[in-house]
Amino acid sequence: EIVLTQSPGTLSLSPGERATLSCRASQSVHSNYLAWYQQKPGQAPRLLIHGASSRATGIPDRFRGSGSGTDFTLTISRLEPEDFAVYYCQQYGSSPRYSFGQGTKLEIK
Amino acid sequence: EVQLLESGGGLLQSGGSLRLSCAASGFDFNSYAMNWVRQAPGKGLKWVSAIRHSDGATFYADSVQGRFTITRDTSRSTVYLQMNSLRAEDTAVYYCTRIGQPGAFDLWGQGTMVTVSS
């Protein structure tokens, strides 16, 4: 099973700042099948990025995914108040043995 | 509207059984594999089970293998999760998700809570 490790665990930033979230895989993710999800309190997760760098439908362009192999990054260029949430990475290259990272909490500083 | 609507959660004792349902609407159910993902209180996301649309093949996480069964009823556009021999560690919100192409979970239900007391 591919283990995903996200860092940092918590990121404290202010609106307007740039956020950089990391996801490292224990082995190479097949075809860069890496997704990012956003989850707000009391809500279901929402798909942001798939294929490491493709934005899902309706996702603003301030969200950018990058990386390949074992190292992936989610960058939010200018934080909006609604962006403060928990973010999870997930690999689906070893489907159906899907795995998620433990999450990064993005909180308002 | 494209959506997934789960139901069937509840409170029960360890060793009991429960069946969750997920009704899909607004898209061609027969064209998508479906998933269950769970989230224990205050914890992260864990994949539970998947069912392939092409041949009905099923897959399970090791933690639920032999206890949980995923099925789908194409006539009702519904996927089910039969959970037997429930344990306290199965306590979680259970989300039904659609597996898009080529495999990210592109649609989620609102979740249904399962609480297993020991």
Side-chain angles (χ1 to χ4, degrees):
Chain A
E1 177 185 340
I2 296 179
V3 177
L4 300 178
T5 303
Q6 293 186 240
S7 61
T10 302
L11 185 57
S12 300
L13 294 170
S14 300
E17 291 193 294
R18 178 188 188 96
T20 303
L21 287 66
S22 175
C23 177
R24 177 162 292 178
S26 59
Q27 56 187 280
S28 185
V29 176
H30 174 65
S31 298
N32 293 328
Y33 284 164
L34 192 287
W36 290 93
Y37 300 85
Q38 176 193 67
Q39 186 178 33
K40 297 179 181 180
Q43 296 184 16
R46 174 176 70 146
L47 177 65
L48 297 176
I49 302 288
H50 61 91
S53 60
S54 298
R55 276 187 300 276
T57 303
I59 301 304
D61 60 8
R62 64 180 182 274
F63 291 90
R64 187 173 73 89
S66 61
S68 63
T70 61
D71 288 295
F72 300 88
T73 301
L74 175 69
T75 303
I76 311 172
S77 58
R78 296 171 308 280
L79 286 166
E80 298 286 345
E82 62 267 26
D83 297 337
F84 292 91
V86 179
Y87 292 83
Y88 295 95
C89 61
Q90 178 223 10
Q91 68 79 25
Y92 51 99
S94 300
S95 66
R97 292 291 175 177
Y98 306 101
S99 51
F100 291 90
Q102 82 279 16
T104 289
K105 182 180 181 180
L106 178 56
E107 64 176 24
I108 299 177
K109 187 174 182 179
Chain B
E1 183 183 0
V2 176
Q3 65 178 357
L4 300 170
L5 187 62
E6 300 100 332
S7 60
L11 171 64
L12 71 165
Q13 291 189 329
S14 179
S17 297
L18 204 60
R19 188 179 81 158
L20 305 183
S21 301
C22 170
S25 59
F27 65 94
D28 182 5
F29 181 75
N30 294 333
S31 295
Y32 290 90
M34 300 294 292
N35 250 349
W36 289 92
V37 173
R38 69 185 181 184
Q39 186 172 37
K43 303 298 184 182
L45 302 168
K46 298 287 186 184
W47 172 74
V48 173
S49 180
I51 185 165
R52 206 155 52 194
H53 63 291
S54 55
D55 58 4
T58 59
F59 308 91
Y60 301 93
D62 291 343
S63 58
V64 306
Q65 180 77 48
R67 299 188 298 124
F68 290 12
T69 303
I70 188 171
T71 57
R72 62 192 288 157
D73 183 340
T74 55
S75 67
R76 297 177 183 271
S77 296
T78 299
V79 61
Y80 302 97
L81 186 67
Q82 177 68 43
M83 304 186 295
N84 299 329
S85 303
L86 282 161
R87 307 165 180 167
E89 54 264 36
D90 295 318
T91 294
V93 174
Y94 284 73
Y95 294 103
C96 172
T97 85
R98 185 179 76 176
I99 303 176
Q101 296 299 331
F105 301 171
D106 65 351
L107 181 65
W108 294 65
Q110 86 289 350
T112 188
M113 183 71 203
V114 174
T115 303
V116 184
S117 65
S118 55

